[in-house]
Amino acid sequence: MTFRSQRTTDHRAERILAMLARYQPVPGVYDEILDEKGEPREHWKPVLATLADLGPRELEKRFSGADRYMRDSGVYYRVYDDPKSGERAWPLAHLPLVIAPDEWKALSEGLRERAELLEIVLKDLFGPADLVRDGLVPGATIAGSPDFLRPLVGTPPRGGSHLLYYAVDVGRGPDGRWWVLGDRAQAPSGAGYALQNRLAMARSLPEIYRNLPVERLAGFFQSLRSEFSSHAAATNSRVAVLTPGPLNETYFEHAFLARYLGFLLAEGADLTVRDDTLYVRTVSGLKKLEMVWRRLDADFADPLELNPRSQLGVAGLVHAIRSGKVTLANALGSGVLEARSLLAFLPSVARARLGRDLAIPHVATWWCGQPLERGAVIADLESFVIAPAFTQTIPGLLDDGAVLASSLSPEHRLRLAEEIRLRGSDFVAQEVVKLSTMPVWNDGYLEPRPFILRLFLARVGDGWEVMPGGFCRIGDRVDARAVTMQRDGRSADVCVLAEGPVAETTLLPTPDKIELRRSTSSLPSRAADNLFWLARYMERAEGTLRLLRALGDQVGSGETTGPDMLKRLVDLLVTWEALPKDTVLTEPQAVAAAVLHGRAPGGLLSLARAAHNAASVIRDRFSPDAWKTINDMVHLAEGDKRMEAGALDRVETGLRLAAVFSGLTQENMNQLIGWRFLKIGKRIERALAICRFGRNFGDARSGTAGLDLLLALADSQITYRRRYVMIAARAPVLDLVVLDPNNPRSVAFQVERIADHLAHLPDHAADGRLNVPEKLIARTRVDLQTADAHTLDGRQILAIEQRLMAISDEVSERYFTHRDGANPVGAAASDLF
Amino acid sequence: MRYQVRQVTDYSYARPVVFAQHVLRIVPVDRPGQTVSHCDITITPSPAMRRDDTDFFGNRRIFLDFDHPHRALTIEMRADITVAGTSRPLPGMDPPWERVRETAFASADMSPSSPVHALFPSTYVPRDPMIRAYASASFPPGRPVLEAAFDLAKRIRDDFTYAPGATDTSTPAAKAFAMRRGVCQDFTHIMISGLRGLGLPAAYVSGFLRTIPPAGKPRLEGADATHAWVSLWCGPELGWWGLDPTNGLIVGEDHIVLAIGRDFVDVAPNGGVVIAAGDHDIAVAVDVKPLGA
């Protein structure tokens, strides 16, 4: 036994050595894994041992498993300046950063202290501004921040705290000390990505997460959820996550955290302020809100009192805040803490207000608004990092934000110096920090890379809780002074080791403070609106594809009625705006290609894109597979193979995708209120299509060929053949596709389903009185029940069609727009003066 | 000088407006050198909600909600305002412009009248090296700040064409600067941009001009509409001074202050969110009658 064990150990040591064969720490830089003597540090040894035991081949397999997990969970981030507005797959580095227990203790305590100080600073700046009057902070270093929001001055936040959720970027210097590189107080991102990284890594390397005492992240989120919910206790309302929307770079995280924590994901358009109270528009009317986790920059939060050009905010929000009716995490204006100029003065503020130096120092910073500092910086520009004092960039001068002055061309440096001379107030100089390095996996070997660690703190009660983990961004190059996820780089999980064994925590609902969610009553109107239209667009796409299939069949079947039917199909496609008005095509492949890939508003390309737009807003509400199907539909229509040949095959692919989407929404979606709106949209659109097919091909002049076509379009040939052993005749065909409530493709069937869905919508009167959409559908039902197939004509069908459109309008009015004293959302244009 | 001011704003909408939230900054208030003895606001139709407050810079704001469909909205303001003449500082009383800049950077004042609020780029006045280069010709080293700024105001009047319609309320300073044309709002933004580019605190003032000039004096441009000009901080002793780049002069008792801010955004007389399907049209009429001293 002993002998074997010895051999294992030797083998392991060899493998560790092999992994580290190319690991060369940069001289003068602290390395996380190797000490000064080149020996692995104690807290990394178990991780290295685990990696060595698994071996390179197994590891590669595990790592691609982690990548697959990321893809499957749909983790992405968006790159703003990508011409294709691309969503990027999440770049996961496969080895975690490991932090030893004692080190973590000191680090997290230091950060709590810093959070406390920053709260003091915010209270002062938006209150008496004693820090400025006492000469500790020059007024200009505050006034220059776009987040010094003057409408909020003199408005203490409800509950008293500005800062409820705070993130901080830290790095380790050559001396082994952790340094604060910057504060994130506006709307810090990363915690959700950190959680995703953890989920992916724990699945792919369970040996590490099971065998080592790795602190769990769930407890932190549990605390955060309880704390945020406690701010909404008065009205027992949900916590809303206010997002700028799907175009935001970190929208995925907003949606993910909302779902994970059971919060309501809302955009500004979902919310409204009446008098002094904030509400969310839902399909059951306006619901109060009193706690908002803001992921929107403060300036955009209220077009009435802040940036008037914002279309992302809520008019009147500042007034609701001033009236003490709503808590924001973080308070509007907290972003002022992100001004780098403030860093130059925080040390003196700490000494004056806390009576001591901060335990974790931050990178040395000089504000160039002061003549002495300015002179010194200009004289020795090349030895500093120069950064905008208040903003991310300064166009034309610091286009990428902070920059090592020595890396600039002499001409650029000269311009920079001149600018600092004139407007020093806009610049800070910072010392150059050499970040420590950690290992990344590269082709079977470990290699050192610099990283920045973002840590997260939540205010809990009177104190601060630090997430025991973090979001680690790894640079591709060794000078990592300016790593952000907008550029190249990967992110890694952060394993904080506990001193003792770690208790299992999960984020299942806890009995304290948190009410059970009634998803049905708080479905935001905009989500319902988009589900409704998503279904309509997808169903419309299916109808269009069915027309194209019928077109192909006309040729394929060799039936003699060809030319006339072809022309009428093309005419109908023109009427549907699937083809431009002046279309003269009759060759089916050409027609199909034009409808699939053309730009007409009723063509597949437009419909698929419209469906995609609607879906992108409500991505968190249905399965990734359904989302993928919509994407596939867009790709099909956008495809690079736009030639005529094969167009009819692509029609078949499209019909299969439509069927998949339909099946997924039927089987994989919670059959809650949102699902009902999706179904109503689908049923209305389908009924409309059948009505139109019926009017066009079921009229007296169409004859057998038309009726056959109608059966095909309504996908009812088989039923017909089974029921009537004869050629298509007008009355039985119309009975089957319009009046028969048992045929799932008939108009009557759609109407029955719509009636059922409407009866399940929220404000259905308890005493049995019908609301407007219900009255309309009831009349439609009766009309269909009492109609006679032998006398049914185009006029009657048109009347049903018009009633269906009225139902669509009434549903929109009643559940999406809240016309009664409310403003319409979405469709109507919003004018800003 | 005592004035009677009347301002009428007419909104007309192509389609009925179902819901609208407005914020108005049309009420003059007492300020150093200015007394408002009387002010009436009439709003037709009457709003569902009206709330008045004072913003950070001391401007009066009226918030209005309308929740009934309407196709027109009229807001009328009538006020009696007395403006005291102030004597211009004697040459040499104003400090060199560089010293003003350093004093402003170092200011330990966060009150609304502090220069720090007027030092930085803002929505309509982003950094603009071209405008700064233009402005710096008036600012050789050591020149007294007000003298230099007066020179700049006169240059803008001379170099730019007053051309109503060439720009609108959303035109950025850079565009008007490139065209060398515009109205008071554009010239004011250009001058502010130049001054701030040099590190000097410059604010935006909206207000009125007397409509009929005193006998023997020319009628000033911008008298039949809401006017705009620059307020420059000239150091702690002299404080803020008005400069009108549209007319190339230092502000005296012909100018009536309505609102002060960092740029047009802070003082926009009519802001808000209107939910409407169609177009809208706004017409503003201003009448300023001198009532004697």
Side-chain angles (χ1 to χ4, degrees), chain A residues 125 129 132-135 137-145 148 150-151 153 272-275 303-309 315-316 319 322 367-371 374 390 394-395 397 418-419 421-427 819 821-825 828-833, chain B residues 11 13 18-23 25 48-49 51 53 56-57 61 63-65 67 97 101-102 104-110 116-121 123-124 127 129 132 169-171 195-200 262 265-266 270-280 282:
Chain A
L125 294 180
V132 176
R133 191 169 313 116
D134 296 350
V137 179
T141 62
I142 304 306
S145 165
F148 182 64
R150 289 159 184 84
V153 170
T272 181
V273 172
R274 301 294 159 85
D275 294 329
L304 275 190
E305 293 211 42
L306 300 167
N307 186 341
R309 292 174 183 180
H319 179 59
R322 218 178 269 132
W367 181 54
C368 302
Q370 297 161 295
R374 178 165 63 235
F390 305 106
I394 294 181
L397 212 55
E418 178 55 21
E419 192 71 22
R421 197 167 284 125
L422 278 168
R423 286 200 53 92
S425 57
D426 300 354
F427 299 87
R819 192 59 56 87
N823 36 341
V825 210
S830 155
D831 276 328
L832 294 168
F833 296 139
Chain B
Y11 299 74
Y13 305 103
V18 186
F19 188 75
Q21 291 168 290
H22 292 257
V23 50
R25 297 176 191 84
M49 188 281 300
R51 176 165 51 83
D53 76 357
F56 178 81
F57 291 108
R61 293 187 298 187
F63 290 88
L64 303 173
D65 281 3
D67 63 2
W97 66 275
R101 183 182 66 192
E102 294 307 326
F105 283 175
S107 172
D109 178 11
M110 286 299 274
V116 295
H117 306 296
L119 266 176
F120 294 93
T123 312
Y124 277 90
R127 316 170 64 83
R132 179 177 62 201
T169 55
S170 64
T171 303
L195 293 168
R196 286 189 195 160
L198 296 163
L200 295 171
R262 290 162 299 172
V265 167
D266 284 340
N270 326 290
V273 181
V274 170
I275 310 288
D279 252 349
H280 69 265
I282 306 179

Side-chain angles (χ1 to χ4, degrees), chain B residues 156 161-164 167 181-192 204-207 209 221-223 225-230 243-247 264:
Chain B
I156 292 177
T161 309
Y162 184 82
T167 56
R181 313 162 73 77
V183 293
C184 55
Q185 176 185 321
D186 306 300
F187 304 151
T188 302
H189 281 148
I190 289 168
M191 182 158 168
I192 292 174
Y204 187 104
V205 186
S206 74
L209 273 179
E221 292 292 4
T226 317
H227 194 48
W229 59 94
V230 177
L243 293 138
D244 181 346
T246 310
N247 295 297
F264 179 72

